[in-house]
Amino acid sequence: MLAIISENNGEYVSPVFALQEAQGKSEVLVFDCTRTKLKRVKMYGRSSGHSFVRQVFLVAWEEWDFGRKNWRGPAWVFEDKDLWRELLKHGEAAVERHPNFLPYAGEVALPDWFTVESEKDITSLLEAAYSFHDGTVERIEEQENYTEIEFDTHWECTITVRFWGVKEMRYFDCIGIIGECAVTRDEDGFWFEAELIQTGRLGGVIEDMPLPENPYILAEGISWSIKIDLPKT
């Protein structure tokens, strides 16, 4: 699992070694920006004028079967009991004292565009975008080989999705606010369907217009990119 960490008006990328899902108190175990320390980072922080600000953006998902209390991750991470004692006492731990983490301490470069091919890739997109909940469509641009749609997720990031080889596309210019999106794949291609909170137009303009069905796109392929939108302090 990989995450972009927003910190001190900047950002860096780290492997995620464990995840605690506890709503507003969720945390991840990651490297610090120097990759010389391990630390727990809260998924949400606070900023001037904002009650909760997203700080962790999961962009490459992994399913972990092993768990302890509210935490999940690889079993070997939880077997290092000295690590968790250090984290509890000091809030961080030097990587050199925990050699099992050293192979992961190199700098991580994310691709400009993530390609969706597997179920794990679908989950990665939906986790990064929080399933586009509360999102709006800011731009739709049709190119020769793909249609590009820019979503303001309203969760401190913009997700741009390219739909390659579009076969069908309906009602995406009628989106006001998204409830959530679902992505599935079958023999016809990738289905991207948006369940709406409200109908409207580009930019989150709200208009009450009943639709016969949810907006959807059927495409041969999907790729996506992410841009972190740091809140102004």
Side-chain angles (χ1 to χ4, degrees), residues 139-148 162-164:
R139 176 175 59 87
I140 301 176
E141 184 177 323
E142 296 188 11
Q143 299 291 340
E144 182 178 356
N145 297 320
Y146 61 83
T147 296
E148 185 172 287
R162 285 180 177 173
F163 298 91
W164 297 86

Side-chain angles (χ1 to χ4, degrees), residues 34-107:
T34 68
R35 298 181 298 282
T36 62
K37 296 179 181 179
L38 292 153
K39 65 177 184 177
R40 290 164 58 174
V41 175
K42 295 183 181 299
M43 296 277 281
Y44 305 96
R46 295 182 181 273
S47 180
S48 177
H50 300 79
S51 56
F52 286 99
V53 176
R54 188 177 175 187
Q55 299 183 143
V56 177
F57 303 80
L58 302 174
V59 294
W61 182 258
E62 293 287 344
E63 288 289 347
W64 290 318
D65 294 330
F66 189 85
R68 182 166 295 168
K69 295 185 178 179
N70 291 330
W71 286 87
R72 291 184 291 115
W76 63 268
V77 173
F78 295 96
E79 289 168 358
D80 190 341
K81 296 181 181 180
D82 288 339
L83 167 66
W84 292 94
R85 280 193 286 266
E86 288 180 58
L87 292 171
L88 183 62
K89 185 175 182 179
H90 304 292
E92 60 183 32
V95 176
E96 63 182 10
R97 289 174 50 84
H98 305 277
N100 286 339
F101 292 88
L102 288 173
Y104 303 92
E107 188 170 356

Side-chain angles (χ1 to χ4, degrees), residues 130-182:
Y130 281 177
S131 296
F132 299 90
H133 174 63
D134 286 342
T136 56
V137 173
E138 300 299 305
R139 176 175 59 87
I140 301 176
E141 184 177 323
E142 296 188 11
Q143 299 291 340
E144 182 178 356
N145 297 320
Y146 61 83
T147 296
E148 185 172 287
I149 300 182
E150 181 181 295
F151 297 87
D152 183 345
T153 68
H154 295 276
W155 291 99
E156 284 75 61
C157 70
T158 297
I159 301 284
T160 303
V161 184
R162 285 180 177 173
F163 298 91
W164 297 86
V166 174
K167 299 178 179 181
E168 295 181 39
M169 175 175 169
R170 296 187 182 181
Y171 305 117
F172 257 76
D173 56 349
C174 300
I175 291 176
I177 301 175
I178 297 169
E180 66 175 3
C181 288

